[in-house]
Amino acid sequence: MESFPPSPTSAKATLLRHFPKEIREAYARSGATNDPAAIDTVVLGVLLDHVPDKARLAGLTLDDSVALIADLGLDSIALAQIVFFFEDLFEISISNAEIMGVRTVGDMRAFVRRKLADLSTAPPV
Amino acid sequence: MRRSAVITGLGFITSIGNDRTEVLHSLRTLRGGLAPVEFFGNPALPVKVAGTIKGFSVESPSWRDWRYPERYQLSREQLRSLAPHGVYAVCAVEQALADAGLKADGLGDGATGLYCASAGSAFLLHHHIRQMHAVRGARGDPMGLVASIAGTLNFNLAAFYRIRGAVGGFAAACASSSHALGCALDDIRLGRQERMLVVGAEDVNAETVLPFAALHALSTNSDPAVASRPFDRRRDGFVASGGAVCLVLEDEETARRRQAPVYAALAGWGQAADGYSVAISHPEGAGLGAAMRRALADAGLAPGQIDYVNAHATSTPAGDRSEALALRSVFAAAGARPRISSTKGLTGHTLSMAGVMEAAFCSLALRERFIPGNANLVEPDEACADLDLPRAALDIAPGIVLNNSSGFGGSNVCHVLHRYPQ
């Protein structure tokens, strides 16, 4: 018998369920230690997941200079979805104005690291 | 001289089969597509059967979880803006294009249009609205709107296939895709388009199905083998279904020039509303009778020339009765007695997509030379007196057929199709 809809699950717990094991493990580490390397791994994993044409990645070294739109082929909708993904994943809030300046892989890495650092140093409310 | 239109391609994702061969087999052998379901994990709900789509898994609001047959290739950019029934629709369009001998990258010449019908995805819309409430309106998925509102089919398919001709969607509930097909015929007759893709599709999930239970329109019979029984005395409501069907309609000369295979000609259509009730058919089927007469007049035919009628009959007590009375008013009054069947005994009721799906069934019947039967009809309702309702499929080649549809608000649409010399 088919069951509609399937049992509900926690959205945050399942966000990375389709990602490779190393990304999920890095995410677990990033939460426990705020480890910049682990955060970088998650950021790159999420970016790569949103690349529409994986063939574009062939021969591309994902250094900080790689452009999100021109090199990876992301469109504005994909960028918005990436932002929402990070918001849900890291429980941060990102405004449109903040994300406007993010154009490269390096920008994105630095941006997420900064947001998480701000979060950890924010005074309790 | 008025242009003529022919049907050159069909694609099916339905409860009775996911391609033409399967569907044809089901129609010929009365193999039904209904199955047990449990909505919201609640065994107390009285609705226990639906026309399920096999080979797909689209129950999650996230496209990342969806599964569909490997023969179809959908990119991330396609999936992110689709509803569950949009996945069915892309698969049906791919089939229909291949069937018609058309290439997907050849549809952007402005001579090809696209008319669609679906109710949108209440399931996905609810998901996105719930998310919006959770963040007090602060943000939402950028694809939420185009994936879920009515129109999602035409938004997506027009973009995927780079269609630059007439594009639109129709919202007349269960008559929607019949309107789409009729208007597509007009566009070809008027020379506005050479080719039209007509697509109907619906989700099959709790959010689409259960609102009809609130109207007491659904069967509470728990046996999938007999729950849908149009025209039968013991019918107690319809069994909901969905899926997708795509029909390619072409200007006859265009089809002939490219030596396209032809299923049938679409010879005319007519529509008339009941002007009676928001949700219930006119008790004597006044609007449906008028729509049938208008379709016959448009095709230049008399009732006696119709060999077969694919009835709308969904298996509701009131709707089937009113259609039976309308059929009697058109045919019995003219001394005509065409064979009549409702294929919904096999498929269940596919809502917006019913009209184009059943036009596609009629196309198969014309080309493959058979008449579909009435599944699960044991004892006809007394309103069906004088109607010829074959139980099994008949190996009789119909020459001209009529296809009926009705929807909320008393919208009624009928098409006339005829056999095309092969």
Side-chain angles (χ1 to χ4, degrees), chain B residues 17-44:
Chain B
N18 287 346
D19 59 40
R20 182 189 57 198
T21 304
E22 268 192 309
V23 166
L24 184 58
H25 178 70
S26 297
L27 290 173
R28 278 190 176 281
T29 61
L30 295 192
R31 185 182 66 174
L34 311 188
V37 293
E38 184 171 276
F39 293 114
F40 294 119
N42 182 357

Side-chain angles (χ1 to χ4, degrees), chain B residues 208-388:
Chain B
T208 290
V209 172
L210 288 181
F212 290 96
L215 271 172
H216 299 284
L218 297 183
S219 174
T220 57
N221 190 323
S222 61
D223 183 356
V226 295
S228 182
R229 47 200 317 160
F231 294 129
D232 190 86
R233 276 183 194 273
R234 285 186 290 169
R235 69 191 185 278
D236 71 334
F238 76 79
V239 175
S241 186
V245 165
C246 176
L247 182 153
V248 180
L249 189 69
E250 287 192 81
D251 166 58
E252 184 181 14
E253 280 309 309
T254 304
R256 186 174 292 162
R257 271 200 306 275
R258 68 181 193 87
Q259 298 182 306
V262 174
Y263 283 91
L266 183 56
W269 76 297
Q271 57 169 318
D274 287 342
Y276 174 73
S277 163
V278 66
I280 301 170
S281 307
H282 184 276
E284 277 87 43
L288 183 54
M292 284 190 268
R293 291 186 188 91
R294 288 177 179 175
L296 289 168
D298 186 38
L301 296 168
Q305 292 174 276
I306 298 295
D307 298 314
Y308 166 63
V309 180
N310 187 297
H312 179 71
T314 63
S315 188
T316 63
D320 291 13
R321 177 184 162 79
S322 86
E323 183 168 14
L325 295 176
L327 287 162
R328 286 167 66 181
S329 78
V330 172
F331 292 102
R337 201 159 181 265
R339 264 72 178 222
I340 298 167
S341 71
S342 169
T343 42
K344 293 185 180 76
L346 301 172
T347 60
H349 183 15
T350 55
L351 311 174
S352 291
M353 68 179 261
V356 71
M357 178 182 76
E358 288 156 14
F361 292 169
C362 289
S363 304
L364 286 176
L366 287 162
R367 193 166 88 171
E368 303 295 334
R369 308 172 80 83
F370 74 102
I371 288 177
N374 284 284
N376 309 323
L377 175 57
V378 177
E379 191 180 354
D381 189 291
E382 62 183 14
C384 299
D386 307 325
L387 301 183
D388 186 345

Side-chain angles (χ1 to χ4, degrees), chain B residues 34-413:
Chain B
L34 311 188
V37 293
E38 184 171 276
F39 293 114
F40 294 119
N42 182 357
L45 294 179
V47 177
K48 299 183 184 303
V49 175
T52 54
I53 304 302
K54 292 79 179 173
F56 289 75
S57 175
V58 288
E59 293 79 21
S60 165
S62 169
W63 58 264
R64 292 164 183 272
D65 298 325
W66 293 348
R67 298 289 177 269
Y68 44 86
E70 283 183 8
R71 61 181 280 207
Y72 303 105
Q73 302 292 319
L74 282 87
S75 71
R76 180 194 183 98
E77 275 48 55
Q78 290 177 309
L79 287 164
R80 70 184 183 183
S81 55
L82 285 175
H85 68 279
V87 180
Y88 303 146
V90 172
C91 300
V93 172
E94 290 291 319
Q95 283 181 43
L97 294 178
D99 193 31
L102 295 168
K103 293 197 181 312
D105 60 5
L107 305 177
D109 57 0
T112 300
L114 168 75
Y115 285 158
C116 296
S118 90
S121 177
F123 158 70
L124 214 50
L125 187 59
H126 175 251
H127 169 75
H128 291 303
I129 297 289
R130 189 172 51 187
Q131 281 193 326
M132 192 175 77
H133 278 266
V135 295
R136 298 170 63 209
R139 65 179 174 86
D141 186 319
M143 292 285 98
L145 261 183
V146 294
S148 60
I149 64 171
T152 179
L153 280 185
N154 32 295
F155 308 154
N156 279 282
L157 297 175
F160 294 168
Y161 293 104
R162 303 282 183 252
I163 291 174
R164 296 176 179 175
V167 170
F170 289 76
C174 304
S176 303
S177 63
S178 284
H179 283 285
L181 182 56
C183 290
L185 174 61
D186 285 352
D187 276 357
I188 288 175
R189 281 173 161 178
L190 292 168
R192 292 173 174 165
Q193 303 286 180
E194 288 184 0
R195 180 182 302 116
M196 294 296 297
L197 307 185
V198 181
V199 182
E202 291 283 10
D203 287 2
V204 189
N205 49 35
E207 291 79 357
T208 290
V209 172
L210 288 181
F212 290 96
L215 271 172
H216 299 284
L218 297 183
S219 174
T220 57
N221 190 323
S222 61
D223 183 356
V226 295
S228 182
R229 47 200 317 160
F231 294 129
D232 190 86
R233 276 183 194 273
R234 285 186 290 169
R235 69 191 185 278
D236 71 334
F238 76 79
V239 175
S241 186
V245 165
C246 176
L247 182 153
V248 180
L249 189 69
E250 287 192 81
D251 166 58
E252 184 181 14
E253 280 309 309
T254 304
R256 186 174 292 162
R257 271 200 306 275
R258 68 181 193 87
Q259 298 182 306
V262 174
Y263 283 91
L266 183 56
W269 76 297
Q271 57 169 318
D274 287 342
Y276 174 73
S277 163
V278 66
I280 301 170
S281 307
H282 184 276
E284 277 87 43
L288 183 54
M292 284 190 268
R293 291 186 188 91
R294 288 177 179 175
L296 289 168
D298 186 38
L301 296 168
Q305 292 174 276
I306 298 295
D307 298 314
Y308 166 63
V309 180
N310 187 297
H312 179 71
T314 63
S315 188
T316 63
D320 291 13
R321 177 184 162 79
S322 86
E323 183 168 14
L325 295 176
L327 287 162
R328 286 167 66 181
S329 78
V330 172
F331 292 102
R337 201 159 181 265
R339 264 72 178 222
I340 298 167
S341 71
S342 169
T343 42
K344 293 185 180 76
L346 301 172
T347 60
H349 183 15
T350 55
L351 311 174
S352 291
M353 68 179 261
V356 71
M357 178 182 76
E358 288 156 14
F361 292 169
C362 289
S363 304
L364 286 176
L366 287 162
R367 193 166 88 171
E368 303 295 334
R369 308 172 80 83
F370 74 102
I371 288 177
N374 284 284
N376 309 323
L377 175 57
V378 177
E379 191 180 354
D381 189 291
E382 62 183 14
C384 299
D386 307 325
L387 301 183
D388 186 345
L389 302 168
R391 306 315 197 255
L394 304 176
D395 282 324
I396 294 173
I400 305 176
V401 308
L402 185 70
N403 177 37
N404 286 353
S405 293
S406 299
F408 279 151
S411 285
N412 303 284
V413 182

